[in-house]
């Protein structure tokens, strides 16, 4: 028999500014459903943690 493994949530220490940069980068791929779902999860976590999103930049 195998010993059971305990799974821990991965909780990296990321600054609010880094979080915004990550979400901004991923949003460029939001046409892809997988990235849209990931971006949605990141946005929900940001909101819970008080990270406000800046207006998208137009290049």
């Amino acid at each position: 028999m195998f010993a059971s493994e305990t799974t821990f949530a991965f909780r990296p220490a990321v600054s609010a500014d880094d979080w915004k940069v990550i979400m901004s980068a991923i949003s460029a791929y939001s046409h892809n459903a997988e990235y849209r779902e990931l971006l949605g999860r990141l946005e929900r976590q940001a909101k819970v943690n008080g990270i406000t999103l800046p207006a998208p930049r137009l290049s």
Side-chain angles (χ1 to χ4, degrees), residues 1-54:
M1 295 225 160
F2 294 100
S4 64
E5 293 183 26
T6 304
T7 303
F8 296 96
F10 178 63
R11 297 179 188 206
V14 178
S15 73
D17 289 336
D18 288 345
W19 199 271
K20 291 174 188 179
V21 170
I22 292 166
M23 288 190 297
S24 176
I26 292 172
S27 69
Y29 298 95
S30 62
H31 61 277
N32 180 307
E34 289 181 22
Y35 288 99
R36 240 186 344 266
E37 291 172 9
L38 173 59
L39 185 58
R41 288 192 306 271
L42 291 173
E43 288 174 342
R44 284 189 297 277
Q45 291 176 14
K47 185 177 180 181
V48 166
N49 288 293
I51 300 171
T52 57
L53 305 176

